[in-house]
Amino acid sequence: MGVSMSEEKVTVSVIKADVGSVVGHSKPHPSMLEASREVLRDAQKQGVVEDFYVTRVGDDINLFMTHYKGAGNRDVHGAAWECFQRAAKIAKSMKLYAAGQDILTDAFSGNVKGAGPGSAEFSFVERKSEPLLFFMADKTEPSAYSPILSRIFLDPFTTTGLVIDARAKMGFDVEIQDVMDHKKVVMSSPEETLSILSLLGDTSRYAIKRIDSRAGIGPACVVSTDKLNLTAGKYVGKDDPVCVCRAQSGLPSVGEYLQPFVNPTIVAGWMRGSHYGALYPCSPEDSDPVYFDGPPRICCLGFQLNDGKLQGLEPMNSKNGEHVPVDFFKGETWNKAREDAIKASMLMRSQGPFMPSILGPEEMEYTSRPEVLSSLTSRFENIE
Ligand code: 13P
Ligand code: 13P
Ligand code: MG
Ligand code: MG
């Protein structure tokens, strides 16, 4: 505990859930975030987590945690579960919207998987310097990261490092999940790049779970894909996803990770989980959905890891222990990308309740079609 032994693996766990928000699907009440901080402060005192940071994107509470207990640890997941229980209780007491939305079971069974919250975790030996990026998205789904991670890890016109950094040039192993058949496959870039893209292009079926370095650096990034399965017999694919990344020195640089967000990426999941819109890069402070429950937001916070602790910009001798991450999408540099995202989202909206503004029939979170069709059974006639 405290100081990592050089070969001991540190684990970064991000566990997130929407357990209710103020005014529709907008934002959690600040007291819900504070209750989560209290739970994690206790967990830190008890040695369950090494360090933590609590934030949000739109209506989703995100818990960043570091520890030496490995992925899927009962105590770490239990602490996250407790955060969401307390926050949901507050949300219910205030009659907030969709209070307890992502809590799908009554009893904690040792892991949040299958219980509603999403998680992205990876373990690695901490390098001499370990820059971490935490991407958080609201009003979209895990495969939203597929086009972005494809540009970062498969496209040398985005990541020049794939050409000029000898270790990045050795390529990456990409774990892809098949939602429908509940299977996964690991494919290697650059050899299989075009085949990887052939799968990932179908964002309704395939999503990237994680990407590993082939130069022995370990994991590069991991995405929360927990709900990409059949939960309780019903397909629940939409879950506002997080993606945690390690950067630099044989991995994409921080700037290479950020490059794809200049383009408006069209993703599924805003308004009733049933529409396509463009990802809007912004600060968590600016992540309230304000236009048609969106547009889908993407935030990026950065920390350096320091012997398992999250090192941000907090002032020297800071007393309250609250971290200050680098907020990459906050500044004016992204104004043009934001304008483009609004423009693209408005174009999608101008199509009304027609595809491609709305999702394909098998992906719609809301649909009245079965009732409409059954009411028309006796009226449908064969065409001569
Ligand atoms: P520095 O030369 O500032 O370390 O930057 C290297 C780098 O990788 C920037 O992307
Ligand atoms: P969330 O998934 O962020 O709760 O949004 C639900 C929705 O459909 C908003 O229109
Ligand atoms: Mg919500
Ligand atoms: Mg949300």
Side-chain angles (χ1 to χ4, degrees), residues 231-242:
T231 304
K234 184 175 177 286
Y235 170 61
V236 198
K238 299 282 172 301
D239 187 29
D240 301 325
V242 292

Side-chain angles (χ1 to χ4, degrees), residues 165-205:
D165 176 330
R167 288 186 296 168
K169 192 164 171 283
M170 288 169 77
F172 294 90
D173 289 327
V174 183
E175 182 184 317
I176 297 171
Q177 294 194 348
D178 174 342
V179 179
M180 307 295 177
D181 281 347
H182 203 46
K183 285 188 173 157
K184 62 181 183 182
V185 62
V186 177
M187 297 176 77
S188 297
S189 74
E191 300 88 328
E192 296 183 289
T193 294
L194 300 181
S195 299
I196 292 171
L197 292 173
S198 164
L199 294 190
L200 291 178
D202 180 355
T203 48
S204 66
R205 180 168 190 136

Side-chain angles (χ1 to χ4, degrees), residues 18 25 59-60 101 138-139 240 270-273 293 365:
D18 172 353
H25 292 280
D59 57 1
D60 291 81
Q101 171 175 299
D138 186 36
K139 307 291 183 269
D240 301 325
W270 70 326
M271 185 50 82
R272 300 173 185 270
D293 279 5
E365 208 162 288

Side-chain angles (χ1 to χ4, degrees), residues 282-295:
C282 64
S283 165
E285 292 157 28
D286 182 29
S287 68
D288 307 341
V290 289
Y291 159 49
F292 201 65
D293 279 5

Side-chain angles (χ1 to χ4, degrees), residues 29 37 41 71 83 93 100 159-160 179 251 307 351 372:
H29 191 275
R37 286 185 193 107
R41 258 179 233 124
C83 290
S93 75
T159 298
T160 315
V179 179
L251 302 176
D307 290 336
Q351 310 306 307
V372 171

Side-chain angles (χ1 to χ4, degrees), residues 180-308:
M180 307 295 177
D181 281 347
H182 203 46
K183 285 188 173 157
K184 62 181 183 182
V185 62
V186 177
M187 297 176 77
S188 297
S189 74
E191 300 88 328
E192 296 183 289
T193 294
L194 300 181
S195 299
I196 292 171
L197 292 173
S198 164
L199 294 190
L200 291 178
D202 180 355
T203 48
S204 66
R205 180 168 190 136
Y206 299 100
I208 294 175
K209 173 61 193 174
R210 62 183 278 151
I211 298 179
D212 289 293
S213 157
R214 288 165 74 192
I217 303 167
C221 72
V222 61
V223 179
S224 62
T225 55
D226 307 54
K227 281 200 199 162
L228 286 180
N229 57 34
L230 295 158
T231 304
K234 184 175 177 286
Y235 170 61
V236 198
K238 299 282 172 301
D239 187 29
D240 301 325
V242 292
C243 173
V244 198
C245 306
R246 298 165 72 207
Q248 306 285 149
S249 306
L251 302 176
S253 71
V254 170
E256 287 165 343
Y257 272 113
L258 300 175
Q259 162 68 26
F261 296 96
V262 164
N263 295 98
T265 300
I266 306 282
V267 299
W270 70 326
M271 185 50 82
R272 300 173 185 270
S274 304
H275 293 75
Y276 281 109
L279 269 184
Y280 178 100
C282 64
S283 165
E285 292 157 28
D286 182 29
S287 68
D288 307 341
V290 289
Y291 159 49
F292 201 65
D293 279 5
R297 304 284 159 145
I298 180 83
C299 299
C300 178
L301 300 180
F303 284 107
Q304 287 284 145
L305 207 53
N306 179 9
D307 290 336

Side-chain angles (χ1 to χ4, degrees), residues 35 51 87 122 141 169 188 264 312-313 331 339 349 359 363 372 376:
D51 206 353
F122 55 14
E141 60 179 358
K169 192 164 171 283
S188 297
L313 297 166
E339 264 170 45
R349 279 309 305 131
L359 308 188
E363 276 201 285
V372 171
L376 292 175

